[in-house]
Amino acid sequence: MVEIKTDAAMDAMREAGRVVARALAAVRKAAGIGVSLRELDEAARAVLAEAGAGSPFLGYRPPFAPTPFPAVICTSVNDAVSHGIPTGYRLRDGDLVSIDCGAQLDGWAADAAITFTVGTPRPQDLALIDATRQALAAGIAAAQVGNRIGDISHAIDTVAREAACGMPADFGGHGIGRHMHEDPHVPNRGRPGRGFPLRHGLVLAIEPMLMSGGRNTYRTGADGWTLHTTDGSRAAHIEHTVAITDQGPRILTLP
């Protein structure tokens, strides 16, 4: 069932979104050569605790997962597309890092992701990040009252194809509100004019995941969570929680 939010609910989600933005900023600031992924998780936990917010990631166990998720952020490095578990791995010069984070505040959730490089960036990684940002921007621009989910999906896919990037076909965005994952599903590929109609009060997590090798296939790592590119190419994941409003899309996870 799709829940349409009131204006007050969207304002409450905006507060949860601010917490997510602060957590992602803290993680980005803490990241550096020699810093472990667990230390990045600790940085995000500190922000959530200070805000009095919970984590919709911690303990989450979807049907595909062998164990509950043990952290408050996903840390996906290099060929990892998403869902990476924070471990003792220490960041190295040139690593490409995607961080996904959520917050639950006063009964409402928000969710966002960033991708950045550590140390000396590879030009191709910067191009991949830029393409992923453009794909997200295109998806958000299509999130207009009167459009449909397929318009968002098509906008994202168009940018990914122009950049010759692949995307994992089974994963995409989602509705969000009282829970992190709600209806409707927001594929990163689709036909314009198709799918659920967009109306004022619908809130979506829009999240393109681009794979630089151009393939759409992925594999699940030994931990049962992390998605990796099958060809070993690099991946980027950038996300915002976005409210559909009569005044245009409202990004709820900005600082």
Side-chain angles (χ1 to χ4, degrees):
M1 178 183 295
V2 176
E3 180 187 14
I4 301 301
K5 279 70 179 178
T6 65
D7 289 352
M10 288 188 283
D11 288 342
M13 292 184 69
R14 174 69 177 116
E15 294 310 307
R18 293 184 200 277
V19 176
V20 172
R22 291 200 298 271
L24 289 172
V27 170
R28 179 67 186 91
K29 183 178 180 180
I33 296 170
V35 176
S36 75
L37 300 182
R38 286 198 187 99
E39 289 173 303
L40 300 185
D41 185 65
E42 290 167 5
R45 286 177 189 251
V47 172
L48 296 181
E50 182 180 7
S55 169
F57 288 22
L58 185 63
Y60 179 62
R61 189 178 182 180
F64 68 80
T67 57
F69 197 76
V72 303
I73 59 172
C74 298
T75 53
S76 305
V77 180
N78 297 333
D79 71 329
V81 185
S82 62
H83 300 167
I85 294 175
T87 65
Y89 174 83
R90 295 191 176 276
L91 294 171
R92 302 170 183 172
D93 187 42
D95 276 347
L96 180 65
V97 183
S98 295
I99 304 293
D100 194 357
C101 181
Q104 196 95 26
L105 185 67
D106 297 329
W108 295 99
D111 184 14
I114 59 174
T115 298
F116 56 86
T117 59
V118 174
T120 307
R122 300 182 182 186
Q124 57 268 40
D125 287 345
L126 297 179
L128 176 62
I129 293 171
D130 185 60
T132 310
R133 285 179 179 149
Q134 290 182 39
L136 176 59
I140 293 172
Q144 303 282 349
V145 171
N147 280 353
R148 291 178 176 266
I149 291 290
D151 294 298
I152 297 174
S153 307
H154 179 71
I156 291 171
D157 187 31
T158 298
V159 175
R161 289 180 184 274
E162 289 175 351
C165 290
M167 290 189 292
D170 300 335
F171 290 88
H174 49 88
I176 185 169
R178 300 179 191 276
H179 305 282
M180 178 172 61
H181 289 136
E182 298 182 352
D183 292 331
H185 177 56
V186 186
N188 285 331
R189 287 188 178 81
R191 297 177 63 183
R194 302 293 182 90
F196 191 85
L198 307 183
R199 53 178 287 196
H200 181 90
L202 179 65
V203 183
L204 305 171
I206 302 174
E207 50 181 320
M209 307 168 194
L210 271 60
M211 303 187 293
S212 62
R215 298 183 182 180
N216 302 323
T217 54
Y218 61 90
R219 63 177 179 85
T220 303
D223 59 17
W225 274 97
T226 310
L227 306 182
H228 296 269
T229 61
T230 54
D231 59 4
S233 63
R234 306 269 205 157
H237 174 204
I238 306 179
E239 173 186 16
H240 271 307
T241 294
V242 180
I244 314 299
T245 80
D246 291 329
Q247 293 74 42
R250 180 186 180 191
I251 302 174
L252 303 182
T253 42
L254 289 173

